Structures are given as C-alpha cells and as structure tokens.
Amino acid sequence: MRAFKQHTGLVAPLDRANVDTDAIIPKQFLKSIKRTGFGPNLFDEWRYLDHGEPGQDCSQRPLNPDFVLNQERYQGASVLLARQNFGCGSSREHAPWALEDFGFRAIIAPSFADIFYNNCFKNGLLPIVLPEDAVDRLFQETEATPGYQLRIDLPAQTVTTPSGQVLPFEIDAGSKHMLVEGLDEIGLTLTHADDIRAYEQRRRQEAPWLFRA
Amino acid sequence: MSGKTLYDKLWDAHVVRQNDDGTALLYIDRHLVHEVTSPQAFEGLRIAGRKPWRVDANLAVADHNVPTTDRSQGIADPVSRLQVDTLDENCRTFGITEFDMNDPRQGIVHVIGPEQGATLPGMTVVCGDSHTSTHGAMGALAHGIGTSEVEHVLATQTLVQRKSKSMLISVDGQVGPGVTAKDIVLAIIGEIGTAGGTGYAIEFGGEAIRALSMEGRMTVCNMAIEAGARAGMVAVDDTTIDYVKGRPFAPTGEQWEQAVAYWRTLHSDADARFHREVRIDAAGIEPQVTWGTSPEMVAPVSGRVPNPFKESDPVRKSGMARALEYMALEPETPITGIAVDKVFIGSCTNSRIEDLRAAAAVVKGRRKADSVKLAMVVPGSGLVKRQAEEEGLDRVFTEAGFEWREPGCSMCLAMNADRLEPGERCASTSNRNFEGRQGQGGRTHLVSPAMAAAAAIAGHFVDVRTF
C-alpha cells in the first residue's frame, strides 16, 4: 500500500450531505474483477450527462458542466472536501478505489460512514474528520479562493490552510501507523499466527459446533 | 461493576489478542462470500502466495449478478458472467463450498446464511456486503466489510477491529395490525437518522422486537446499516432456537444441547449499561413510506411529503430540496397521492417466506392496476421459492398479473437486467432509496411487502390497514 505522510493539494468542494457509495461508484462498474481503473467512473451519474457502462471510453462522453469536479478551477484536485456521513451505504471498496484512482489522496468531512472510513485506510487514502464549523469555513474559503490548497501532515495530525491556520485532527494510532508506513496488514496479522491457533484450539473445546467441517 | 451487554459478550468471546493501540484481533467464525466483492481478494491471496486460513468457515454464493429469469442459457451480459464464473473458479481452486447459480439452495447471501444454519447464535459473521448486519438477528455479531478485509479474513480468519459503542433501541409495546418489521425499522431510521448509529453496534429490544419472527428480526437488523450502524443484533430466545433447530449446518445431538445452553446466555444482563438508549413507542408506528433519496427521508402513510421551506438547517434544507427535485415530488403532497410505475418485492430485507405471505395476503383475489407497468416478486432463495410454490403463493401473484422470478438481489441494486428506467417510480421492499440505486434516474420508495403489494393493486400508495 502507498504510504501517506505529508501531502499538499488542490481542494475540491462537494457540498452534499450523505454522499453514498452508490453515487461514488455506481453498481454497473462493480462487475469488474480488477482493483484498478475505476477513476474515470468516479461519481459517474453526476459527472456525465449520458448513462455510463463498463468498458466505455469516458473521454468521449458528455460532461455535466455543473458538477464540481468538471469545473476548470478544480482540475487536478487531490483533496476532497465533503459533508457529513460521507461514504454511507454499500460496503463496496470500489468507492475508495475510484477516489484514489481519480487522484484523491485525502477526504475531509465532519463525519464518515464506518465501513467506508475503514476501507480508505487499506488504500492509502486518508479520511480526516474535522468539526462541522471548521468544515464550513473550509467550504467558504475553497469556494472564494481559486487554487485553494491545503497541506496535510499525517504524522503531526494537522491540516494547514493557505493563511497558516493549523487545524488538528484525531485518528487512531493503529490506522495512522499503517498508513504512515504503508504496511501490509495481513502480513502484520500473520505475525500473530500462533495466537490465532491457540484461540482456535481453546474454542474447539468450548464450542465444538463452530468447527463442523 | 455493571453487567455485560450482548455486544460485550459476543466481542469478548472472539478476542484473539488485544493490541496496544486499543484495537483487537477478532476471530471470525463465518465468512460469507459473493461474486462482487471477492475477486480482488482472491487475486490478492494468489499474488501473495497465501491460502485461506480455514476453508470450512467460508460459504459462497452468487447473488448480485444472477438473472431472475430463465437461467438455462446462463448469463447474457458477458461482464456479469465473467464475475460469476470467477467466483465459481475461485471456490473450486481454494476448496470453498459454493451454492452455484443452478443449485436449488442458491439465493441472496443474507437469506441463505440463516436458512442453512450457516449463521448461528454467538458467531461472528462477516461478508463483503453492508447488509451482513442481517445476521445479527440470530444473536450473532455480524457486519459488512470491504474487499481488503475479505482478503484479511480469508488469509487469517481474523479482523483488526476497534470496539464500537453500544446502543439499545427498545421498541416498547405492541405494533398495530398491518404494521410490520419494515415499518418498525424505517420509523427507527426516521427517528435517529442515517448517521444516528455511526460508531455504534445496535441491540434491538423491547416487546415489539421480541414479538417478531426471525424473518422480522432479520428485516430490522438488515437495515441497521441504513441507520449508520455496521452491526445490529437481537438477543437469543426461544424464537431464535426454534428457528435454528434442524437446519443443515446447525449442530445436532449432544453438541446441539451444549450449543443451546451457551446460546441461552446471549442476552444483555439486566444491569448492563449502554452508551446510548433510544425508546420508541410501537403503538405510534404507522406503515412507512420513504419520499426522498435517503432512508431517513420517511413519512407515515397518513402523512405528506415535507416542505423544505419549513426546514431551518441549511444543509438539511438543500438536501431535502435536491431530493424532492430528483424524486419529482411537490412539497405537501399526501403520501397516498403518489402513483407508482413499478413494484419490486424482494431483496435481503424482505424476500423471506413471511414477506411473500404478507404480500400474497394483500394480492389474493385482486389484480395489478393497469397503470403499473411491472410488479415483480423475487424470492430470497431457491428454498423460499419452493416453499412459496408449495403454499400456492406463486399462483396468487401470477393470477394478479405479477411476475414470479428466480432468486437473487435483482432490482434492489440493479446489477442484473432488472432495473428502473429514468424517471420511473417504484414501490420497493428493498433497503436503499439512493439516487440511481435501482437504475439511473429511477425513483425508489421503500415500503413493507404488504404496502408494496397494495400499491401494485391500487396504482398508488394506500394505507394497507384500511385497504
């Protein structure tokens, strides 16, 4: 997994609450058996005026000029600013895959849905929770300032605005460590293989019905 | 010291190792696998040269992509076909039990788990699907995971988890006639909101929950995720144990007795404390209909579409206005004044035998309205379908002009050929009314099976209690 330490990037504001993972990546693209290539279909139904299907050349499709990610000033954005309960609904990891493939490295919102939040960390994508009033101010500043960039420092757990304001954020130590180091979680868990075997052995005695082949 | 909640008991029984950062390595008893969220996980195993840790803990089924019409020619869509073939091949390669598309036991993963007894009380159950919360109805700790976690479970039989906070939602008293589990859970979501359960594991309790059948409890737990909670659960009682008995994967003989003795302990202690408690009066719950693009946008059938101008919070106000625009609804429209184009009875929320009986009871002796283009019934599994046919329910539906289909996820998320066309309005027994969920531009109203059936007959929403 790609590590995340510091990142400075252009901010794109997506001013809607409860953005669900069906909106982030619609179902027809979930038929892929690959992990990559979802970026062109990120927010497909909002981004394009026609109906998207897998395998299309998206560069030929009509863009919705009103959708924020299609606006000239947000081209190249790598930080997504969002509203509460971002990523709700389906557990599809295709959502963070699509965001990451599109070029996002971090998402800032007042709250995230649990499964989506977890999925981000497995894919080098940093979800940052900031208080609602701070997010409100970032929306105002982003919309008022073309080229608005934020500097994110994961080890220091801060977001810094262009004017130098520093916004601290909370994140649990384990998830932070995995992301800062870009670690393979499965490899790490398998260093505890003996603990897993010991648990299974005990459990076979206590609850043998759970181990019927 | 206060007693333990059901969630505490389930959690504690599965901790393999407590980590220093507050997370724990949690053992997973049952891993359910379907075709959409697993191919990349199996590919990950192959690339890393890893094998499944415990093959017999896995059970796989294809459900999202499968056609609900004649399957004898296979799947027409080559992209869907490749995904289903990939699951078949992965299960063969790794030795995982799979109910393939033509197996009589095939069905929606969250229907077949409990039906087979593959989901048992006291288990930890995960699946790469957010509606895994369904299985909490068995008195299990069950939640959805992403594909990276699918791979983690395959490779290690564990997950690294942080314990959630606990919430008790107590539905006190009795619901009135015509009010179902679906109405209870929609009313709960309307009350606490789609993010109300974020960070929590919810235990559903109270007289109205205890009075529900297992099917009803599954409907309630299924939609815990729609309230933001990854896991919903109900304490074990006689209803649970009677349901499990005799199922193919359930224990027998001496192990059955041993298991039941343990399962009887799976309830919150009388002095257990929750981080949050919510009480809901069952008698006040009417049949519910969603009007917007989030499950929290819900109203009683006697109500009206709300008016965004009366909403003071600016984010909520704009969300409401956008939802009404997408749904093509005017503020203050009576719910019963909304006409529907299609009706879908099915999904992991409402496709079990009890759901089909409730819908058939409304339909019997009546005809689908001519204005309704399609009313389809999609049983949750091959076994539900067979039982319904033995009870003659299929004829009740087909004689009324409904279509009777093969089992699968179908038009809940429209990954197969079953979908809404742009602008079409649907009364649906599924779980999500998100924009485009049932087909791009489609408009979804979530309701109970009886309410969906009544809408198909009347051509618009009606109060099933007086229909």
Side-chain angles (χ1 to χ4, degrees):
Chain A
M1 184 180 72
R2 179 156 64 150
F4 190 115
K5 291 185 173 72
Q6 287 85 18
H7 176 76
T8 301
L10 184 70
V11 182
L14 184 62
D15 195 2
R16 293 183 179 215
N18 298 313
V19 170
D20 58 76
T21 55
D22 272 83
I24 296 172
I25 184 84
K27 80 281 278 161
Q28 61 270 36
F29 306 107
L30 272 50
K31 296 177 188 180
S32 168
I33 56 170
K34 300 200 178 85
R35 227 176 228 272
T36 52
F38 295 101
N41 300 110
L42 175 71
F43 298 118
D44 198 273
E45 292 185 4
W46 294 344
R47 202 163 139 202
Y48 301 99
L49 294 170
D50 63 346
H51 174 75
E53 282 295 331
Q56 275 172 316
D57 176 3
C58 290
S59 66
Q60 304 301 312
R61 295 174 60 196
L63 293 172
N64 173 6
D66 296 333
F67 184 58
V68 67
L69 295 185
N70 289 334
Q71 293 168 18
E72 189 55 38
R73 59 182 288 197
Y74 299 120
Q75 295 314 298
S78 60
V79 178
L80 185 66
L81 188 60
R83 294 291 186 184
Q84 70 229 26
N85 202 26
F86 188 84
C88 61
S90 158
S91 63
R92 58 189 71 168
E93 197 161 317
H94 311 67
W97 293 340
L99 287 158
E100 199 266 350
D101 195 56
F102 180 87
F104 285 113
R105 299 297 322 277
I107 308 164
I108 299 173
S111 62
F112 292 90
D114 287 340
I115 300 177
F116 175 82
Y117 185 80
N118 276 327
N119 284 342
C120 286
F121 287 103
K122 321 286 183 192
N123 294 285
L125 193 61
L126 175 62
I128 298 173
V129 178
L130 288 178
E132 197 137 13
D133 56 341
V135 172
D136 263 340
R137 272 201 312 282
L138 292 179
F139 266 100
Q140 287 160 17
E141 290 176 17
T142 302
E143 280 157 13
T145 322
Y148 189 84
Q149 295 200 341
L150 288 172
R151 177 176 161 73
I152 296 161
D153 187 326
L154 178 55
Q157 297 181 214
T158 56
V159 175
T160 307
T161 69
S163 65
Q165 195 195 359
V166 177
L167 306 164
F169 62 88
E170 293 294 318
I171 184 169
D172 75 67
S175 304
K176 176 179 168 180
H177 178 64
M178 298 294 296
L179 202 48
V180 169
E181 303 298 333
L183 296 176
D184 163 22
E185 195 178 35
I186 295 175
L188 216 61
T189 296
L190 286 173
T191 64
H192 304 303
D194 288 346
D195 291 335
I196 302 171
R197 283 190 206 98
Y199 173 89
E200 283 183 329
Q201 203 170 10
R202 193 178 78 228
R203 208 60 183 149
R204 266 178 207 280
Q205 303 298 318
E206 291 168 0
W209 64 87
L210 294 173
F211 293 84
R212 286 160 34 105
Chain B
M1 212 178 107
S2 60
K4 284 183 171 188
T5 62
L6 170 60
Y7 177 53
D8 291 333
K9 292 179 185 181
L10 294 169
W11 175 273
D12 291 350
H14 291 90
V15 173
V16 170
R17 186 175 190 282
Q18 189 64 51
N19 298 321
D20 297 335
D21 65 356
T23 60
L25 198 59
L26 208 65
Y27 192 80
I28 303 304
D29 295 315
R30 177 67 69 201
H31 182 210
L32 301 166
V33 180
H34 67 81
E35 78 276 21
V36 181
T37 55
S38 65
Q40 298 87 352
F42 284 112
E43 187 193 41
L45 284 189
R46 277 200 192 87
I47 290 169
R50 290 172 176 142
K51 287 194 159 52
W53 179 277
R54 206 186 118 200
V55 169
D56 67 286
N58 299 280
L59 177 64
V61 69
D63 57 5
H64 284 60
N65 278 283
V66 299
T68 57
T69 47
D70 177 28
R71 290 178 182 169
S72 59
Q73 305 303 311
I75 302 174
D77 173 2
V79 194
S80 285
R81 188 171 63 233
L82 175 64
Q83 200 166 51
V84 172
D85 288 349
T86 302
L87 179 68
D88 294 347
E89 192 193 315
N90 281 326
C91 289
R92 260 197 312 275
T93 306
F94 291 104
I96 290 171
T97 302
E98 186 201 8
F99 297 165
D100 70 27
M101 191 171 78
N102 296 310
D103 190 301
R105 300 166 296 178
Q106 181 270 341
I108 305 172
V109 66
H110 307 309
V111 174
I112 68 159
E115 183 175 82
Q116 290 295 318
T119 310
L120 294 171
M123 275 184 166
T124 42
V125 181
V126 297
C127 173
D129 192 288
S130 60
H131 290 111
T132 309
S133 59
T134 309
H135 307 263
M138 311 295 298
L141 177 55
H143 62 83
I145 55 178
T147 297
S148 294
E149 289 179 317
V150 169
E151 186 180 339
H152 194 281
V153 173
L154 282 168
T156 72
Q157 211 52 48
T158 64
L159 280 176
V160 179
Q161 294 287 293
R162 177 173 292 277
K163 197 175 175 188
S164 304
K165 290 181 286 185
S166 59
M167 186 190 299
L168 174 68
I169 297 183
S170 182
V171 187
D172 301 325
Q174 297 171 3
V175 292
V179 177
T180 67
K182 182 64 164 287
D183 303 304
I184 293 175
V185 72
L186 284 171
I188 289 170
I189 296 164
E191 176 82 19
I192 70 170
T194 45
T198 303
Y200 289 92
I202 298 179
E203 179 177 343
F204 297 98
E207 186 184 350
I209 300 294
R210 284 196 300 276
L212 292 173
S213 65
M214 287 310 292
E215 286 84 351
R217 295 175 188 186
M218 288 183 223
T219 300
V220 172
C221 290
N222 173 274
M223 290 191 73
I225 184 65
E226 265 41 83
R230 286 202 303 171
M233 62 195 79
V234 175
V236 173
D237 61 9
D238 288 341
T239 305
T240 324
I241 290 166
D242 292 346
Y243 177 90
V244 174
K245 191 162 189 161
R247 299 204 174 254
F249 286 68
T252 52
E254 197 183 323
Q255 283 192 6
W256 169 259
E257 298 303 329
Q258 197 183 350
V260 168
Y262 171 61
W263 295 343
R264 294 269 182 211
T265 69
L266 296 175
H267 53 78
S268 291
D269 294 333
D271 57 343
R273 273 201 292 248
F274 294 83
H275 294 95
R276 186 178 170 199
E277 291 192 26
V278 176
R279 307 202 89 85
I280 290 178
D281 174 23
I285 301 174
E286 286 184 40
Q288 305 281 306
V289 181
T290 65
W291 51 264
T293 53
S294 164
E296 71 184 16
M297 294 173 166
V298 65
V301 66
S302 66
R304 289 171 182 268
V305 173
N307 191 335
F309 291 104
K310 293 179 180 168
E311 173 62 50
S312 53
D313 179 85
V315 175
R316 282 179 65 92
K317 185 182 199 135
S318 73
M320 238 183 200
R322 189 181 288 127
L324 292 189
E325 191 190 338
Y326 181 85
M327 295 295 289
L329 289 173
E330 290 300 321
E332 317 281 359
T333 305
I335 293 293
T336 50
I338 301 170
V340 300
D341 303 304
K342 286 184 175 172
V343 172
F344 171 61
I345 297 172
S347 87
C348 57
T349 313
N350 280 130
S351 63
R352 298 177 181 83
I353 189 68
E354 177 183 289
D355 300 315
L356 304 189
R357 286 180 191 141
V362 172
V363 169
K364 197 172 174 65
R366 291 163 153 155
R367 284 284 307 170
K368 172 181 81 62
D370 289 340
S371 58
V372 173
K373 287 182 255 183
L374 171 73
M376 61 191 295
V377 185
V378 184
S381 71
L383 298 182
V384 168
K385 180 169 187 260
R386 193 172 71 193
Q387 186 176 349
E389 288 170 354
E390 283 167 9
E391 296 179 17
L393 305 185
D394 57 323
R395 287 192 307 281
V396 171
F397 289 120
T398 52
E399 283 164 12
F402 286 55
E403 292 190 13
W404 179 247
R405 298 288 188 93
E406 297 297 323
C409 299
S410 181
M411 208 161 69
C412 173
L413 87 168
M415 267 189 89
N416 69 351
D418 309 334
R419 65 188 64 165
L420 297 181
E421 295 303 320
E424 282 183 340
R425 190 181 297 285
C426 182
S428 178
T429 67
S430 55
N431 40 59
R432 290 189 174 133
N433 51 354
F434 300 156
E435 286 186 21
R437 171 79 178 182
Q438 294 192 291
Q440 187 168 16
R443 297 167 180 144
T444 302
H445 296 270
L446 304 176
V447 287
S448 73
M451 284 287 288
I457 306 296
H460 56 86
F461 290 110
V462 289
D463 189 339
V464 73
R465 295 172 299 178
T466 52
F467 185 59

